[in-house]
Amino acid sequence: MTQTASSGPAFITPMLAAQAELVGLAGAFAPHDGLHDTAVTQLQLIRASAPAQPLPAMYEPGLVFVVQGRKQAVLGADTLVYDPLHYLLVSVTVLPQGQILEASARKPYLCIRLNLDPRELGSLLLQARPPETQTAGAPRGLRVARTSAPLADAMLRLLRLLETPDDVAVLAPLALREIYWRVLTGELGPQLRELAVAGSHAQRIARAVDLLKRRYAEPVRIEEVAEAVHMSPSTLHHHFKQATSMSPLQYQKHLRLHHARRLMLTTGLDAAAAGHEVGYESASQFSREYRRLFGAPPKAEIRQVRGALRAVG
């Protein structure tokens, strides 16, 4: 299933000026390819100058706004395409296949990423109307929706603060609060609401994910995870797969492989040492499972990634 939101000319016209300014600001504060922190702690900018092949990725909870270019994420049977007219809500850490579809040196892919603040969301819930419909269980970890003009305007005011860093401490919380409010009262409001409701399936799955992230290198039984989040093993399995498209144990295995890949890229560990570090006792099993996920054996895949980084750097 491919998710996009329909948008006609009446919607596009008022967005053009805001989009052009967003492109200028994002490009100025992300001057080269890669991930860029900003003066606003919750805000990061991403830039890429070329399309990419599909690659397993780790998406942390947050809001993702593309201001130029186009990207897709594949999670289970869902293919989500997001671009300057659509934003992405990541409600729980998920491990999709990500792919930048449109980018060039002249018109690079530019993306804004905002971390979610559960406490701020909880505060806003006290002022929001109850939803007309309830979500069934834990919501899918990735959802895409159309970016409204008020939401784009709030994003623009947040990025403008990067030009006046002395204003960030006072005004950034106000802009962030409005952005959360626009999402909370929009199409994806029910999914965002679930994250802030104590005892909801979404919160319990988020706690299960956090447990697996902390203990990814250890043997963990699903019964242990279920007990920690106050769910039966069968209920945990159902809602965990509904949110992440994976079973808890499959998710933990993918976490191990992602962490091993990061170790090899950032510390220079060889495959055997990285596999052992993340909990693999068999180097051959690590190599097989790494190749199955990333498409090449560890040594060859890491060499390819480093070559690609040198090419854009």
Side-chain angles (χ1 to χ4, degrees):
M1 177 177 68
T2 300
Q3 290 187 34
T4 55
S6 61
S7 51
F11 170 72
I12 295 172
T13 301
M15 297 287 285
L16 290 178
Q19 183 188 344
E21 189 173 352
L22 282 168
V23 169
L25 288 165
F29 288 94
H32 53 81
D33 286 2
L35 178 68
H36 300 263
D37 293 326
T38 71
V40 180
T41 304
Q42 299 92 330
L43 170 66
Q44 293 177 310
L45 300 172
I46 301 168
R47 180 179 184 134
S49 297
Q53 295 298 312
L55 188 69
M58 183 182 296
Y59 285 19
E60 299 286 357
L63 296 167
V64 181
F65 300 85
V66 172
V67 298
Q68 185 167 266
R70 190 160 60 102
K71 189 172 184 179
Q72 75 174 20
V74 179
L75 185 68
D78 295 341
T79 299
L80 299 95
V81 178
Y82 46 113
D83 56 24
L85 296 181
H86 307 93
Y87 70 95
L88 186 74
L89 168 63
V90 187
S91 56
V92 67
T93 303
V94 290
L95 307 172
Q97 288 269 344
Q99 182 181 16
I100 295 174
L101 300 174
E102 291 180 6
S104 67
R106 188 175 65 85
K107 295 185 65 175
Y109 169 81
L110 295 169
C111 172
I112 301 166
R113 189 188 180 285
L114 291 178
N115 292 327
L116 293 175
D117 184 342
R119 289 174 298 181
E120 188 67 43
L121 292 175
S123 170
L124 288 171
L125 278 182
L126 299 176
Q127 302 175 52
R129 289 184 303 173
E132 296 180 3
T133 59
Q134 298 289 334
T135 57
R140 197 67 155 165
L142 286 183
R143 294 292 301 273
V144 69
R146 190 175 73 178
T147 303
S148 68
L151 178 56
D153 184 61
M155 285 297 308
L156 179 56
R157 281 184 276 110
L158 179 65
L159 254 67
R160 283 174 179 161
L161 292 176
L162 299 180
E163 297 183 308
T164 56
D166 289 344
D167 295 335
V168 165
V170 173
L171 299 182
L174 302 179
L176 287 165
R177 185 175 174 88
E178 181 179 351
I179 290 167
Y180 293 151
W181 177 257
R182 297 297 182 189
V183 176
L184 192 62
T185 56
E187 182 181 343
L188 298 185
Q191 286 74 30
L192 192 59
R193 177 185 295 268
E194 283 292 301
L195 298 179
V197 175
S200 66
H201 287 302
Q203 274 205 356
R204 294 183 185 190
I205 295 305
R207 292 205 305 271
V209 164
D210 287 341
L211 185 153
L212 292 173
K213 288 169 67 177
R214 292 194 310 271
R215 301 177 55 188
Y216 67 88
E218 306 172 24
V220 177
R221 296 181 302 111
I222 189 170
E223 291 81 6
E224 183 181 357
V225 181
E227 182 179 0
V229 299
H230 306 293
M231 302 176 87
S232 70
S234 60
T235 301
L236 170 65
H237 187 279
H238 171 74
H239 291 292
F240 196 100
K241 192 162 188 178
Q242 182 174 322
T244 69
S245 84
M246 300 178 185
S247 71
L249 297 184
Q250 183 185 18
Y251 184 92
Q252 185 194 34
K253 180 175 73 174
H254 282 218
L255 280 177
R256 287 181 173 182
L257 294 169
H258 276 277
H259 280 285
R261 184 173 187 263
R262 186 175 301 167
L263 284 172
M264 289 185 286
L265 282 170
T266 59
T267 70
L269 282 182
D270 62 25
H276 179 75
E277 187 73 18
V278 301
Y280 279 89
E281 297 181 0
S282 166
S284 60
Q285 181 187 3
F286 169 69
S287 183
R288 284 196 307 272
E289 294 187 354
Y290 190 99
R291 180 172 187 165
R292 192 175 300 128
L293 180 60
F294 292 106
K299 184 176 180 179
E301 198 270 337
I302 294 299
R303 186 168 57 244
Q304 291 170 6
V305 172
R306 287 181 175 150
L309 290 174
R310 285 193 295 270
V312 300

